[in-house]
Amino acid sequence: MNIKNNKIVLKKRPVGFPKLDDFEIVNETINNINYGEVLIKVIWLSLDPYMRGRMSEAKSYADPVKIGDVITGGAVGEVIESKCPNFIKGDIVEGFTLGWQEFAKINSSLVRKIEPSLAPIQTAVGVLGMPGMTAYFGLFEICRPVPGDNLVVSAASGAVGQLVGQLAKIAGCNVTGIAGSDEKCKYLKDILKFDNVINYKKDNVFKKIKEYCPSGVNVYFDNVGGKISDDVISNIAPFGRIGVCGVISQYNLTQMETGMRVQRAVLTNQASVEGFLVFRFEQKYSIARKRMAYWLSNRSLIWKEDIVTGLEKAPEAFIGLMNGKNFGKLLIKLDN
Ligand SMILES: NC(=O)c1ccc[n+]([C@@H]2O[C@H](COP(=O)([O-])OP(=O)(O)OC[C@H]3O[C@@H](n4cnc5c(N)ncnc54)[C@H](OP(=O)(O)O)[C@@H]3O)[C@@H](O)[C@H]2O)c1
């Protein structure tokens, strides 16, 4: 075996927003795999906001990537060599740590076989993967919507947000999506049939929420934190539920922000705030996956991907993700 592998490594830790020179492409030769390992030709990379945390040294739920190491991340690929009886050449697999590289030599316990007939294989890191599970469990287990609820979701056109809004419509909610451009808002309203949309870069979020949810916000699925969330939570309804999924507005700050104090609104409305990490629900993924695949097949769910081609484009695309340039689930299609 003599496989030439190009990979993108962390050259230095980003300060604030990541920059292109924080990353570097290096190559190596893979000569062998060990017993229990598989060699995977990577086909799709998933770019996700949590990866920014892994580029920092700060303690988090995911271990930091070391300087010089390949950028860790979810991916889908094809087994081209196996020294594990559970996998054969040609199996399509997904793994959370395959990383930004053309070939991954990895312990087979870290990948899962996927069923290509279910949906296009890249959905294993999208609607049928981590973002899809986040939307499903965050909404149904943390936010517990009931028909008639006013539900607000931020980063509404992204991987998680687009699904949260559509699942909430299935659950009978009045859905308001917050996103960062008119194009994204138009898509949410016209194609995904959200009831209301707010462009947070142009509109007064606090006033718009008041207008769209006059009886208050029963459910807030929070993907962003910061000022947008202050404005939503200030409008929380009695016994409202706030699911804290992500705080992307904070990931690149070099100094902590101070803002409005929302505890009074939480207290007087007896609202609940619960943070969650999707892995909490891992044991139940297979059931959720079946439901999501069913809704996808009968077009109850529409799934938008934003595809960039070429491994070398991953750093630029990731920087774009941090700035709202992606429109839908951001994926890199490898062209090796
Ligand atoms: N808890 C969990 O287990 C879990 C799992 C997956 C994801 N998450 C979190 O869920 C959130 C969404 O993730 P995703 O994968 O669906 O990403 P995404 O929405 O596809 O992409 C991120 C989006 O965030 C928006 N954004 C960026 N900076 C912002 C800012 N300062 N203020 C407001 N919006 C901003 C941008 O859209 P606009 O154009 O609308 O600004 C951008 O497109 C992230 O916070 C992520 O960390 C959590």
Side-chain angles (χ1 to χ4, degrees), residues 49 134 158-160 179-180 184 200 223 245-246 249 251 276-278 321 324 326:
T134 304
V160 175
K184 290 179 178 181
Y200 72 90
N223 279 319
C245 174
S249 72
Y251 295 165
F276 70 96
L277 299 174
V278 64
L321 178 74
N326 65 306

Side-chain angles (χ1 to χ4, degrees), residues 29-318:
T29 304
I30 301 173
N31 293 312
N32 70 309
I33 58 168
N34 302 315
Y35 186 74
E37 287 184 334
V38 284
L39 183 64
I40 292 156
K41 181 175 190 283
V42 177
I43 304 171
W44 292 96
L45 299 180
S46 172
L47 268 50
D48 300 280
Y50 79 89
M51 298 167 90
R52 175 64 185 88
R54 282 196 163 166
M55 294 169 193
S56 304
E57 238 163 356
K59 187 174 172 292
S60 178
Y61 60 91
D63 286 339
V65 175
K66 294 196 190 90
I67 300 295
D69 275 3
V70 66
I71 304 291
T72 326
V76 175
E78 180 181 347
V79 174
I80 56 167
E81 197 75 53
S82 171
K83 285 199 179 168
C84 166
N86 298 338
F87 293 90
I88 55 167
K89 251 186 187 174
D91 279 346
I92 301 294
V93 295
E94 176 249 339
F96 196 60
T97 54
L98 293 178
W100 290 6
Q101 54 187 339
E102 292 171 340
F103 296 91
K105 167 182 150 154
I106 191 165
N107 191 294
S108 61
S109 64
L110 296 173
V111 294
R112 115 188 129 86
K113 225 182 279 189
I114 61 172
E115 183 42 71
S117 66
L118 210 55
I121 59 172
Q122 71 273 21
T123 58
V125 287
V127 54
L128 302 183
M130 191 274 285
M133 298 301 101
T134 304
Y136 182 96
F137 290 106
L139 181 67
F140 293 125
E141 303 247 353
I142 305 292
C143 295
R144 304 178 307 281
V146 289
D149 271 353
N150 291 321
L151 177 139
V152 177
V153 55
S154 46
S157 70
V160 175
Q162 59 173 305
L163 295 172
V164 169
Q166 294 181 80
L167 292 172
K169 287 299 299 172
I170 292 172
C173 298
N174 171 57
V175 173
T176 299
I178 305 176
S181 76
D182 286 342
E183 190 196 3
K184 290 179 178 181
C185 286
K186 187 168 165 32
Y187 176 81
L188 295 174
K189 186 124 184 153
D190 295 352
I191 308 294
L192 302 191
K193 308 294 178 199
F194 284 24
D195 300 283
N196 313 292
V197 286
I198 299 173
N199 177 348
Y200 72 90
K201 291 190 178 157
K202 276 174 45 178
D203 297 330
N204 180 318
V205 176
F206 180 85
K207 282 192 185 154
K208 285 283 176 193
I209 295 283
K210 235 186 183 24
E211 180 186 332
Y212 295 144
C213 310
S215 56
V217 174
N218 304 100
V219 171
Y220 176 41
F221 194 107
D222 187 2
N223 279 319
V224 303
K227 165 91 170 72
I228 293 172
S229 298
D230 291 346
D231 286 344
V232 179
I233 296 170
S234 305
N235 282 296
I236 199 76
F239 303 102
R241 282 91 62 209
I242 300 154
V244 181
C245 174
V247 287
I248 195 167
S249 72
Q250 315 290 292
Y251 295 165
N252 297 294
L253 295 180
T254 47
Q255 250 190 329
M256 273 304 127
E257 279 180 345
T258 49
M260 188 187 271
R261 307 289 194 263
V262 293
Q263 287 86 344
R264 188 183 173 93
V266 170
L267 169 71
T268 52
N269 290 291
Q270 303 186 69
S272 54
V273 182
E274 184 171 358
F276 70 96
L277 299 174
V278 64
F279 313 109
R280 194 202 295 190
F281 304 102
E282 210 158 15
Q283 303 302 322
K284 299 197 256 185
Y285 281 3
S286 61
I287 297 167
R289 237 181 237 127
K290 280 188 190 147
R291 285 218 170 99
M292 299 289 268
Y294 172 70
W295 283 322
L296 207 56
S297 69
N298 70 12
R299 300 279 295 167
S300 301
L301 280 181
I302 294 172
W303 174 240
K304 185 169 177 54
E305 295 171 341
D306 185 340
I307 298 172
V308 175
T309 302
L311 175 73
E312 70 288 352
K313 298 277 174 55
E316 187 187 338
F318 183 74

